[in-house]
Amino acid sequence: MSRVLIIGAGGVGSVVAQKCAASPEVFSEIMLASRTKSKCDAIAALIKDRNIQTAQVDADSVPELVALFNEFKPELVINVALPYQDLTIMDACLETGVNYLDTANYEPKDEAKFEYSWQWAYQDKFKEKGLTAILGCGFDPGVTSIYTAYAAKHHFDEIHYLDIVDCNAGDHGKAFATNFNPEINIREVIQKGRYWENGQWVETEPHEIKQALNYPNIGPKNSYVIYHEELESLVKNFPTLKRARFWMTFGDEYLTHLRVIQNIGMASIEPIMYKGVEIVPLQFLKETLPKPEELADGYTGETSIGCRIKGIKDGKEKTYYVWNNCKHQDAFDDVSSQGVSYTTGVPAMLGAMMFLTGKWKKPGVYNVEEFNPDPFMELIGQYGLPWQEEINGDLEMKY
């Protein structure tokens, strides 16, 4: 029986709040906080049989966060706000003695740079306070890292090759929309690609490496190597990796929209003056696009996200593919969400449950693959994200 404070009232925050509310035996008291309290109130209204407290807070302000933490006294903060706000929330946790969990690594607002180094630097501070910080507990990062840890524990003596594959074969019916915060999403997918090979990072042009991969229940989809944050922690925690890559599917129309957005300067994060007011083009574009939580009703198709792994077991080569498929309609039927928010929010709830039930609790700052994957893997299916596996199948990769 524990108090949790959820920060962030977008599509993911809604999923986390509803899934936490469905497990009162673990989450005895819940508060949902955001810069806009009315968004929290709207989510709380969806939850009929639980009293969810709501609050307004500026997550950029450590003093505001500290005041809220001291008032509510949560055991754990689930941070599903913007990645820019990770460090202020971690600072407030240290000041008030609260444990921490997030779904995405910190990035500075003025630079599209995705690194765990800023958060890893908090290791000694959290350890000295006896507090746990769990990093990257969404789906990717999150479940994909737990899949990797599970494979390393049960299927391999050494993992040599890792390909994380992320396909959204859904149709939301919009000309152009992003499935999570547009500002974060567009920054992520237009950056240069990067993957790990033979002990070093290899940089590519955006979407330079392309391959049609087959996804279960979906079929072939054009997939592109991009850089994704979990690669940084996985190559550190699994040093036998010879190569680690992240693939994501994009439709041709989506990529055309991205090119136009870049070409006309709307993807820029450099401030400009407009009628005497300083604005950031990408932030302005975000306000014109559909909100991710507005895509849920009528969203068809499904996602397929997993890990394709090759390595050695008992001196022999072995391949292993573990994945989840999530239908957007199933997510909507459960918590009025679309699949991308759902696949991020459910693991965040379950990671919080792992901590609060003592299965993932140790002072310091840790990525999810540094915890025991077994209790998480045992439960993730019953909360809406069942997984499947294939041993010694064709991974469609060149080695």
Side-chain angles (χ1 to χ4, degrees):
M1 303 287 283
S2 304
R3 288 186 172 197
V4 291
L5 171 60
I6 303 162
I7 302 179
V12 176
S14 177
V15 175
V16 175
Q18 293 181 73
K19 297 300 270 189
C20 286
S23 295
E25 71 282 1
V26 177
F27 304 99
S28 55
E29 293 188 53
I30 302 167
M31 175 178 278
L32 179 60
S34 172
R35 190 188 302 269
T36 308
K37 186 174 180 293
S38 60
K39 294 175 69 175
C40 301
D41 294 335
I43 293 169
L46 296 173
I47 303 167
K48 305 299 184 186
D49 54 349
R50 293 286 304 274
N51 178 32
I52 307 299
Q53 300 181 56
T54 62
Q56 190 279 330
V57 71
D58 179 358
D60 291 319
S61 169
V62 174
E64 281 197 32
L65 290 163
V66 166
L68 182 62
F69 294 4
N70 282 333
E71 178 187 349
F72 183 62
K73 294 182 170 52
E75 186 172 346
L76 176 72
V77 165
I78 303 174
N79 170 19
V80 286
L82 294 171
Y84 317 141
Q85 297 161 331
D86 287 0
L87 300 189
T88 54
I89 297 173
M90 292 179 79
D91 285 336
C93 285
L94 286 170
E95 191 168 331
T96 56
V98 177
N99 300 282
Y100 173 88
L101 178 145
D102 68 27
T103 63
N105 70 350
Y106 172 76
E107 60 178 281
K109 187 175 286 190
D110 58 356
E111 184 181 7
K113 188 174 183 180
F114 307 86
E115 282 186 12
Y116 275 115
S117 58
W118 288 288
Q119 291 178 278
W120 287 343
Y122 281 66
Q123 169 75 358
D124 290 342
K125 295 177 183 178
F126 270 78
K127 190 172 284 188
E128 288 165 8
K129 294 273 190 175
L131 298 172
T132 300
I134 300 171
L135 306 184
C137 197
F139 206 103
D140 45 352
V143 176
T144 51
S145 301
I146 296 164
Y147 283 170
T148 304
Y150 182 83
K153 181 176 180 179
H154 295 285
H155 292 280
F156 294 95
D157 298 321
E158 290 187 1
I159 289 179
H160 292 165
Y161 299 94
L162 169 66
D163 287 278
I164 299 171
V165 290
D166 182 330
C167 170
N168 180 14
D171 182 4
H172 46 55
K174 310 291 185 185
F176 181 81
T178 62
N179 292 287
F180 59 95
N181 187 296
E183 187 181 349
I184 305 302
N185 187 206
I186 292 172
R187 281 165 58 124
E188 175 184 282
V189 300
I190 65 175
Q191 67 176 323
K192 291 193 177 216
R194 195 156 59 117
Y195 64 93
W196 180 262
E197 188 166 36
N198 297 325
Q200 63 184 6
W201 292 106
V202 179
E203 190 172 89
T204 70
E205 291 303 310
H207 314 129
E208 176 185 341
I209 299 176
K210 168 186 172 183
Q211 184 175 334
L213 299 175
N214 283 284
Y215 293 88
N217 205 43
I218 293 170
K221 291 287 181 182
N222 285 336
S223 307
Y224 300 82
V225 169
I226 68 170
Y227 178 67
H228 223 245
E229 61 213 64
E230 64 263 47
L231 295 180
E232 182 185 9
S233 67
L234 288 169
V235 300
K236 177 173 79 81
N237 291 317
F238 298 96
T240 61
L241 277 168
K242 297 179 180 180
R243 188 181 70 203
R245 301 180 296 189
F246 186 99
W247 302 78
M248 185 172 282
T249 61
F250 301 110
D252 291 342
E253 187 174 352
Y254 182 90
L255 291 176
T256 299
H257 275 89
L258 274 185
R259 282 193 293 271
V260 171
I261 287 168
Q262 287 180 275
N263 289 343
I264 64 175
M266 290 305 294
S268 173
I269 59 175
E270 297 297 324
I272 63 170
M273 296 302 296
Y274 175 72
K275 294 186 176 181
V277 178
E278 185 177 273
I279 65 169
V280 174
L282 183 54
Q283 292 177 358
F284 176 81
L285 176 66
K286 170 190 169 184
E287 296 303 315
T288 72
L289 293 174
K291 292 179 172 56
E293 57 267 31
E294 296 172 352
L295 303 177
D297 193 5
Y299 206 142
T300 60
E302 61 192 290
T303 64
S304 181
I305 311 174
C307 296
R308 303 184 182 190
I309 301 170
K310 183 177 181 181
I312 299 294
K313 179 66 174 178
D314 298 328
K316 297 179 181 178
E317 284 193 344
K318 180 178 182 178
T319 67
Y320 180 70
Y321 180 21
V322 55
W323 73 93
N324 161 265
N325 275 37
C326 177
K327 289 183 170 62
H328 292 286
Q329 185 62 50
D330 289 347
F332 186 77
D333 291 344
D334 187 8
V335 291
S336 300
S337 167
Q338 39 95 340
V340 177
S341 295
Y342 191 79
T343 55
T344 305
V346 171
M349 177 282 298
L350 186 53
M353 183 181 289
M354 293 293 100
F355 170 78
L356 294 170
T357 55
K359 297 178 178 67
W360 286 5
K361 183 180 285 190
K362 55 183 177 179
V365 177
Y366 302 98
N367 293 85
V368 291
E369 68 268 20
E370 297 179 83
F371 296 98
N372 180 8
D374 292 351
F376 186 99
M377 294 288 280
E378 288 167 8
L379 292 177
I380 187 71
Q382 75 183 56
Y383 289 108
L385 297 175
W387 50 280
Q388 300 181 64
E389 59 185 353
E390 180 181 70
I391 297 172
N392 288 331
D394 179 9
L395 300 184
E396 303 183 287
M397 301 297 176
K398 295 178 182 178
Y399 300 103

Coordinates of all heavy atoms in Angstrom, one line a residue, residues 82-153:
L82 N 7.9 15.9 -19.7 CA 8.8 16.1 -20.8 C 10.2 15.7 -20.4 O 10.6 15.9 -19.3 CB 8.8 17.5 -21.3 CG 7.6 18.0 -22.0 CD1 7.6 19.5 -22.2 CD2 7.3 17.3 -23.3
P83 N 11.0 15.1 -21.3 CA 12.4 14.7 -20.9 C 13.3 15.9 -20.4 O 14.2 15.7 -19.7 CB 13.0 14.1 -22.3 CG 11.8 13.7 -23.0 CD 10.7 14.7 -22.7
Y84 N 12.9 17.1 -20.9 CA 13.7 18.3 -20.4 C 13.6 18.4 -18.9 O 14.4 19.1 -18.2 CB 13.1 19.6 -21.0 CG 12.7 19.6 -22.4 CD1 11.6 20.2 -22.9 CD2 13.5 18.9 -23.4 CE1 11.2 20.2 -24.2 CE2 13.2 19.0 -24.7 CZ 12.0 19.6 -25.1 OH 11.7 19.6 -26.4
Q85 N 12.6 17.8 -18.3 CA 12.3 18.0 -16.9 C 12.8 16.9 -15.9 O 12.6 17.0 -14.7 CB 10.8 18.2 -16.7 CG 10.2 19.4 -17.4 CD 8.7 19.4 -17.7 OE1 8.1 18.4 -17.8 NE2 8.2 20.6 -17.8
D86 N 13.5 16.0 -16.5 CA 14.0 14.8 -15.7 C 14.8 15.3 -14.5 O 14.7 14.8 -13.4 CB 14.8 13.9 -16.6 CG 13.9 13.0 -17.5 OD1 12.7 13.2 -17.5 OD2 14.5 12.2 -18.3
L87 N 15.8 16.2 -14.8 CA 16.7 16.6 -13.8 C 16.1 17.4 -12.7 O 16.5 17.2 -11.5 CB 17.9 17.3 -14.4 CG 18.7 16.5 -15.5 CD1 20.0 17.3 -15.8 CD2 19.1 15.1 -15.0
T88 N 15.2 18.3 -13.0 CA 14.6 19.1 -11.9 C 13.7 18.2 -11.0 O 13.7 18.3 -9.8 CB 13.7 20.2 -12.5 OG1 12.7 19.6 -13.4 CG2 14.5 21.3 -13.2
I89 N 13.1 17.2 -11.6 CA 12.3 16.2 -10.8 C 13.2 15.4 -10.0 O 12.9 15.1 -8.8 CB 11.4 15.4 -11.7 CG1 10.4 16.3 -12.5 CG2 10.6 14.3 -10.9 CD1 9.5 15.6 -13.5
M90 N 14.3 14.9 -10.5 CA 15.3 14.2 -9.7 C 15.9 15.0 -8.6 O 16.0 14.5 -7.5 CB 16.4 13.6 -10.6 CG 15.9 12.5 -11.6 SD 17.2 11.9 -12.7 CE 18.1 10.8 -11.6
D91 N 16.1 16.3 -8.9 CA 16.6 17.2 -7.8 C 15.6 17.3 -6.7 O 16.0 17.2 -5.5 CB 16.9 18.5 -8.4 CG 18.2 18.6 -9.2 OD1 19.1 17.7 -9.0 OD2 18.3 19.5 -10.1
A92 N 14.3 17.4 -7.0 CA 13.3 17.5 -6.0 C 13.2 16.2 -5.2 O 12.9 16.2 -4.0 CB 12.0 17.9 -6.7
C93 N 13.3 15.1 -5.9 CA 13.3 13.8 -5.2 C 14.4 13.7 -4.2 O 14.1 13.3 -3.0 CB 13.4 12.7 -6.2 SG 11.9 12.3 -7.2
L94 N 15.6 14.1 -4.5 CA 16.7 14.1 -3.6 C 16.4 15.0 -2.4 O 16.7 14.6 -1.2 CB 18.0 14.5 -4.3 CG 18.6 13.5 -5.2 CD1 19.7 14.2 -6.0 CD2 19.2 12.3 -4.5
E95 N 15.9 16.2 -2.6 CA 15.6 17.1 -1.5 C 14.5 16.6 -0.6 O 14.6 17.0 0.6 CB 15.2 18.5 -2.1 CG 15.2 19.6 -1.1 CD 15.1 21.0 -1.7 OE1 15.6 21.2 -2.9 OE2 14.6 21.9 -1.1
T96 N 13.6 15.8 -1.1 CA 12.5 15.4 -0.2 C 12.5 13.9 0.1 O 11.6 13.5 0.8 CB 11.2 15.7 -1.0 OG1 11.2 15.1 -2.3 CG2 11.0 17.2 -1.2
G97 N 13.5 13.2 -0.3 CA 13.5 11.7 0.0 C 12.5 10.9 -0.7 O 12.0 10.0 -0.1
V98 N 12.3 11.2 -2.0 CA 11.3 10.4 -2.8 C 12.0 9.6 -3.8 O 13.0 10.1 -4.5 CB 10.3 11.4 -3.4 CG1 9.3 10.6 -4.3 CG2 9.5 12.1 -2.3
N99 N 11.6 8.4 -4.1 CA 12.1 7.6 -5.2 C 11.6 8.0 -6.5 O 10.6 8.7 -6.6 CB 11.8 6.1 -4.9 CG 12.4 5.6 -3.6 OD1 13.6 5.4 -3.5 ND2 11.6 5.6 -2.5
Y100 N 12.2 7.6 -7.6 CA 12.0 8.1 -8.9 C 11.9 7.1 -10.0 O 12.7 6.1 -10.0 CB 13.2 9.1 -9.2 CG 13.2 9.7 -10.6 CD1 12.5 10.9 -10.9 CD2 13.9 9.1 -11.7 CE1 12.5 11.4 -12.2 CE2 13.9 9.6 -12.9 CZ 13.2 10.8 -13.2 OH 13.3 11.3 -14.5
L101 N 11.0 7.3 -11.0 CA 11.0 6.4 -12.2 C 10.6 7.3 -13.4 O 9.7 8.1 -13.3 CB 9.9 5.3 -12.0 CG 9.7 4.3 -13.1 CD1 9.4 2.9 -12.6 CD2 8.6 4.7 -14.0
D102 N 11.2 7.0 -14.5 CA 10.8 7.7 -15.7 C 10.8 6.8 -16.9 O 11.0 5.6 -16.8 CB 11.8 8.9 -16.0 CG 13.2 8.5 -16.4 OD1 13.4 7.4 -17.0 OD2 14.1 9.3 -16.1
T103 N 10.4 7.3 -18.1 CA 10.3 6.5 -19.3 C 11.2 7.0 -20.4 O 11.3 6.3 -21.5 CB 8.8 6.5 -19.8 OG1 8.5 7.9 -20.2 CG2 7.9 6.0 -18.8
A104 N 11.9 8.1 -20.2 CA 12.8 8.6 -21.3 C 13.9 9.4 -20.7 O 13.8 10.0 -19.6 CB 12.0 9.6 -22.2
N105 N 15.1 9.3 -21.3 CA 16.3 10.0 -20.7 C 16.2 11.5 -20.9 O 15.5 12.0 -21.7 CB 17.6 9.4 -21.3 CG 17.8 9.8 -22.7 OD1 17.0 10.3 -23.4 ND2 19.0 9.4 -23.2
Y106 N 17.0 12.2 -20.1 CA 17.1 13.6 -20.1 C 17.6 14.1 -21.4 O 18.5 13.5 -22.0 CB 17.9 14.1 -18.9 CG 18.2 15.6 -19.0 CD1 17.2 16.5 -18.7 CD2 19.4 16.1 -19.5 CE1 17.4 17.9 -18.8 CE2 19.6 17.5 -19.6 CZ 18.6 18.4 -19.2 OH 18.9 19.7 -19.3
E107 N 17.1 15.2 -21.9 CA 17.7 15.9 -23.0 C 17.5 17.4 -22.8 O 16.5 17.8 -22.3 CB 17.1 15.5 -24.4 CG 15.6 15.8 -24.5 CD 15.1 15.4 -25.9 OE1 15.3 16.2 -26.8 OE2 14.5 14.3 -26.0
P108 N 18.5 18.2 -23.1 CA 18.4 19.7 -22.9 C 17.4 20.2 -23.9 O 17.3 19.7 -25.1 CB 19.8 20.2 -23.2 CG 20.5 19.1 -23.9 CD 19.9 17.8 -23.6
K109 N 16.7 21.3 -23.5 CA 15.7 21.8 -24.4 C 16.3 22.5 -25.6 O 15.6 22.5 -26.7 CB 14.9 22.9 -23.6 CG 13.7 23.4 -24.4 CD 12.8 24.3 -23.5 CE 12.0 23.6 -22.5 NZ 11.0 24.4 -21.8
D110 N 17.5 23.0 -25.5 CA 18.0 23.8 -26.6 C 19.0 22.9 -27.5 O 19.7 23.5 -28.4 CB 18.8 25.0 -26.1 CG 19.9 24.6 -25.1 OD1 20.0 23.4 -24.8 OD2 20.6 25.5 -24.7
E111 N 19.0 21.6 -27.3 CA 19.9 20.8 -28.1 C 19.3 19.4 -28.2 O 19.0 18.8 -27.2 CB 21.3 20.7 -27.5 CG 22.3 19.9 -28.3 CD 23.7 19.9 -27.6 OE1 23.8 20.4 -26.5 OE2 24.6 19.4 -28.2
A112 N 19.2 18.8 -29.4 CA 18.7 17.5 -29.6 C 19.8 16.5 -29.3 O 20.4 16.0 -30.2 CB 18.1 17.3 -31.0
K113 N 20.0 16.2 -28.0 CA 21.1 15.4 -27.6 C 20.6 14.4 -26.6 O 20.1 14.8 -25.6 CB 22.2 16.2 -27.0 CG 23.5 15.4 -26.7 CD 24.6 16.3 -26.2 CE 25.9 15.6 -26.0 NZ 27.0 16.5 -25.6
F114 N 20.6 13.1 -26.9 CA 20.0 12.1 -26.1 C 21.1 11.3 -25.4 O 21.8 10.4 -26.0 CB 19.2 11.1 -27.0 CG 18.2 11.9 -27.8 CD1 18.5 12.4 -29.1 CD2 16.9 12.1 -27.4 CE1 17.6 13.1 -29.9 CE2 15.9 12.8 -28.2 CZ 16.3 13.3 -29.4
E115 N 21.3 11.5 -24.1 CA 22.4 10.8 -23.4 C 21.9 10.5 -22.0 O 21.1 11.3 -21.4 CB 23.6 11.7 -23.3 CG 24.5 11.7 -24.5 CD 25.8 12.4 -24.3 OE1 26.1 12.7 -23.1 OE2 26.5 12.7 -25.3
Y116 N 22.3 9.4 -21.4 CA 22.0 9.1 -20.0 C 23.1 9.7 -19.1 O 22.9 9.6 -17.9 CB 22.0 7.6 -19.8 CG 20.7 7.0 -20.1 CD1 20.5 6.1 -21.2 CD2 19.5 7.3 -19.4 CE1 19.3 5.5 -21.5 CE2 18.3 6.7 -19.7 CZ 18.2 5.8 -20.7 OH 17.0 5.3 -21.0
S117 N 24.1 10.3 -19.6 CA 25.2 10.7 -18.7 C 24.8 11.7 -17.7 O 25.2 11.6 -16.5 CB 26.3 11.4 -19.6 OG 25.8 12.5 -20.3
W118 N 23.9 12.6 -18.0 CA 23.4 13.6 -17.0 C 22.7 12.9 -15.8 O 22.9 13.2 -14.7 CB 22.4 14.5 -17.7 CG 23.0 15.5 -18.6 CD1 23.8 16.6 -18.3 CD2 22.9 15.5 -20.0 NE1 24.2 17.3 -19.4 CE2 23.6 16.6 -20.5 CE3 22.2 14.7 -20.9 CZ2 23.7 16.9 -21.9 CZ3 22.3 15.0 -22.3 CH2 23.0 16.1 -22.7
Q119 N 21.9 11.8 -16.1 CA 21.2 11.1 -15.1 C 22.1 10.1 -14.3 O 22.0 10.0 -13.1 CB 19.9 10.4 -15.6 CG 18.9 11.4 -16.1 CD 17.7 10.7 -16.7 OE1 17.7 10.3 -17.9 NE2 16.6 10.5 -15.9
W120 N 23.0 9.5 -15.1 CA 23.9 8.6 -14.4 C 24.8 9.3 -13.4 O 25.3 8.7 -12.4 CB 24.8 7.9 -15.5 CG 24.1 6.8 -16.3 CD1 22.9 6.2 -15.9 CD2 24.5 6.3 -17.5 NE1 22.6 5.3 -16.9 CE2 23.6 5.3 -17.9 CE3 25.6 6.5 -18.3 CZ2 23.7 4.5 -19.0 CZ3 25.7 5.7 -19.5 CH2 24.8 4.8 -19.8
A121 N 25.0 10.6 -13.6 CA 25.8 11.4 -12.7 C 25.2 11.5 -11.3 O 25.8 12.0 -10.4 CB 26.1 12.8 -13.3
Y122 N 23.9 11.2 -11.2 CA 23.2 11.2 -9.9 C 23.3 10.0 -9.1 O 22.8 9.9 -8.0 CB 21.7 11.5 -10.2 CG 21.3 12.9 -10.5 CD1 21.7 13.5 -11.6 CD2 20.5 13.6 -9.6 CE1 21.4 14.8 -11.9 CE2 20.1 14.9 -9.9 CZ 20.6 15.5 -11.1 OH 20.2 16.8 -11.3
Q123 N 24.1 9.0 -9.6 CA 24.2 7.7 -8.9 C 24.6 7.8 -7.5 O 23.9 7.3 -6.6 CB 25.3 6.9 -9.7 CG 25.7 5.6 -9.0 CD 24.6 4.5 -9.0 OE1 23.6 4.7 -9.6 NE2 24.9 3.3 -8.5
D124 N 25.7 8.5 -7.2 CA 26.2 8.6 -5.8 C 25.2 9.4 -4.9 O 25.0 9.0 -3.7 CB 27.5 9.3 -5.7 CG 28.6 8.4 -6.3 OD1 28.4 7.2 -6.4 OD2 29.7 9.0 -6.7
K125 N 24.5 10.4 -5.5 CA 23.6 11.2 -4.7 C 22.4 10.4 -4.3 O 21.9 10.4 -3.1 CB 23.1 12.4 -5.5 CG 24.2 13.4 -5.8 CD 23.6 14.6 -6.7 CE 24.6 15.6 -7.1 NZ 24.1 16.6 -8.0
F126 N 21.8 9.6 -5.2 CA 20.7 8.7 -4.8 C 21.1 7.6 -3.9 O 20.4 7.2 -2.9 CB 20.1 8.1 -6.1 CG 19.0 9.0 -6.6 CD1 19.2 10.2 -7.4 CD2 17.6 8.7 -6.4 CE1 18.2 11.0 -7.9 CE2 16.6 9.5 -6.9 CZ 16.9 10.6 -7.6
K127 N 22.3 7.1 -4.1 CA 22.8 6.0 -3.2 C 23.0 6.5 -1.8 O 22.6 5.8 -0.8 CB 24.1 5.4 -3.8 CG 24.6 4.1 -3.1 CD 25.8 3.5 -3.9 CE 25.4 2.9 -5.1 NZ 26.5 2.1 -5.8
E128 N 23.6 7.7 -1.7 CA 23.8 8.2 -0.3 C 22.5 8.5 0.4 O 22.5 8.4 1.6 CB 24.6 9.5 -0.5 CG 26.1 9.3 -0.8 CD 26.8 10.6 -1.3 OE1 26.1 11.7 -1.2 OE2 27.9 10.5 -1.8
K129 N 21.5 8.8 -0.3 CA 20.2 9.1 0.3 C 19.3 7.8 0.5 O 18.2 7.9 1.1 CB 19.4 10.1 -0.6 CG 20.0 11.5 -0.7 CD 19.5 12.4 0.5 CE 19.9 13.8 0.2 NZ 19.3 14.7 1.3
G130 N 19.9 6.7 0.0 CA 19.1 5.5 0.1 C 17.9 5.4 -0.8 O 16.9 4.7 -0.5
L131 N 17.9 6.2 -1.9 CA 16.8 6.3 -2.8 C 17.1 5.5 -4.1 O 18.2 5.4 -4.6 CB 16.5 7.7 -3.1 CG 16.1 8.6 -2.0 CD1 16.0 10.1 -2.4 CD2 14.7 8.2 -1.4
T132 N 16.0 5.0 -4.7 CA 16.1 4.3 -6.0 C 15.6 5.2 -7.1 O 14.6 5.8 -7.0 CB 15.3 3.0 -6.0 OG1 15.8 2.1 -5.0 CG2 15.4 2.3 -7.3
A133 N 16.4 5.3 -8.2 CA 15.9 5.9 -9.5 C 16.0 4.9 -10.6 O 17.0 4.3 -10.9 CB 16.8 7.1 -9.8
I134 N 14.8 4.7 -11.2 CA 14.7 3.7 -12.3 C 14.5 4.5 -13.6 O 13.6 5.2 -13.7 CB 13.5 2.8 -12.0 CG1 13.6 2.0 -10.7 CG2 13.3 1.8 -13.2 CD1 12.4 1.3 -10.3
L135 N 15.4 4.2 -14.5 CA 15.5 5.0 -15.8 C 14.9 4.2 -16.9 O 15.2 3.0 -17.1 CB 16.9 5.4 -16.1 CG 17.7 6.2 -15.0 CD1 19.0 6.6 -15.6 CD2 16.9 7.4 -14.5
G136 N 14.1 4.8 -17.8 CA 13.7 4.3 -19.0 C 12.8 3.1 -18.9 O 13.0 2.0 -19.5
C137 N 11.6 3.3 -18.2 CA 10.7 2.2 -18.0 C 9.4 2.4 -18.8 O 8.3 2.3 -18.3 CB 10.4 2.0 -16.5 SG 9.7 0.4 -16.2
G138 N 9.6 2.6 -20.1 CA 8.5 2.6 -21.1 C 8.5 1.3 -21.8 O 8.8 0.3 -21.3
F139 N 8.3 1.4 -23.2 CA 8.5 0.2 -24.0 C 9.9 0.2 -24.6 O 10.6 -0.7 -24.5 CB 7.4 0.0 -25.0 CG 7.2 -1.5 -25.4 CD1 6.2 -2.2 -24.9 CD2 8.2 -2.1 -26.2 CE1 6.0 -3.5 -25.2 CE2 8.0 -3.4 -26.5 CZ 7.0 -4.2 -26.0
D140 N 10.2 1.3 -25.3 CA 11.5 1.4 -25.9 C 12.0 2.9 -25.8 O 11.5 3.7 -26.6 CB 11.6 0.9 -27.3 CG 10.5 1.3 -28.2 OD1 9.5 1.9 -27.8 OD2 10.6 1.1 -29.5
P141 N 12.7 3.1 -24.7 CA 13.4 2.2 -23.8 C 12.4 1.7 -22.7 O 11.4 2.3 -22.4 CB 14.5 3.1 -23.1 CG 13.9 4.4 -23.1 CD 13.1 4.6 -24.4
G142 N 12.8 0.5 -22.2 CA 12.0 -0.1 -21.2 C 11.9 -1.6 -21.4 O 12.8 -2.4 -21.1
V143 N 10.7 -2.0 -22.0 CA 10.5 -3.4 -22.2 C 11.5 -4.0 -23.1 O 12.0 -5.2 -22.8 CB 9.1 -3.6 -22.8 CG1 8.8 -5.1 -23.1 CG2 8.0 -3.2 -21.8
T144 N 12.0 -3.3 -24.1 CA 13.0 -3.9 -25.0 C 14.3 -4.2 -24.2 O 15.0 -5.2 -24.5 CB 13.3 -2.9 -26.1 OG1 13.6 -1.6 -25.6 CG2 12.2 -2.8 -27.1
S145 N 14.6 -3.3 -23.2 CA 15.8 -3.6 -22.4 C 15.6 -4.8 -21.5 O 16.5 -5.6 -21.2 CB 16.2 -2.3 -21.6 OG 16.4 -1.2 -22.5
I146 N 14.4 -4.9 -21.0 CA 14.0 -6.0 -20.1 C 14.0 -7.3 -20.9 O 14.5 -8.4 -20.5 CB 12.7 -5.8 -19.4 CG1 12.8 -4.6 -18.5 CG2 12.2 -7.0 -18.6 CD1 11.5 -4.0 -18.0
Y147 N 13.5 -7.3 -22.2 CA 13.6 -8.4 -23.1 C 15.1 -8.8 -23.2 O 15.4 -10.0 -23.2 CB 13.1 -8.1 -24.4 CG 11.6 -8.0 -24.6 CD1 11.0 -7.5 -25.8 CD2 10.7 -8.5 -23.6 CE1 9.6 -7.4 -26.0 CE2 9.3 -8.4 -23.8 CZ 8.8 -7.9 -25.0 OH 7.4 -7.8 -25.2
T148 N 15.9 -7.9 -23.4 CA 17.4 -8.2 -23.6 C 17.9 -8.8 -22.3 O 18.7 -9.8 -22.4 CB 18.1 -6.9 -23.9 OG1 17.6 -6.3 -25.1 CG2 19.6 -7.2 -24.2
A149 N 17.6 -8.3 -21.2 CA 18.1 -8.9 -19.9 C 17.5 -10.3 -19.7 O 18.3 -11.2 -19.3 CB 17.7 -8.0 -18.8
Y150 N 16.3 -10.5 -20.1 CA 15.7 -11.8 -20.0 C 16.4 -12.8 -20.9 O 16.7 -14.0 -20.5 CB 14.2 -11.7 -20.3 CG 13.4 -13.0 -20.2 CD1 12.9 -13.4 -19.0 CD2 13.2 -13.8 -21.3 CE1 12.2 -14.6 -18.9 CE2 12.5 -15.0 -21.2 CZ 12.0 -15.4 -20.0 OH 11.3 -16.6 -19.9
A151 N 16.7 -12.4 -22.1 CA 17.4 -13.3 -23.1 C 18.7 -13.6 -22.6 O 19.2 -14.8 -22.6 CB 17.4 -12.6 -24.4
A152 N 19.5 -12.6 -22.0 CA 20.8 -12.8 -21.5 C 20.8 -13.8 -20.3 O 21.7 -14.6 -20.2 CB 21.4 -11.5 -21.1
K153 N 19.8 -13.7 -19.5 CA 19.7 -14.6 -18.3 C 19.3 -16.0 -18.7 O 19.8 -17.0 -18.1 CB 18.7 -14.0 -17.3 CG 18.5 -14.8 -16.1 CD 17.6 -14.1 -15.1 CE 17.4 -14.8 -13.8 NZ 16.5 -14.2 -12.8

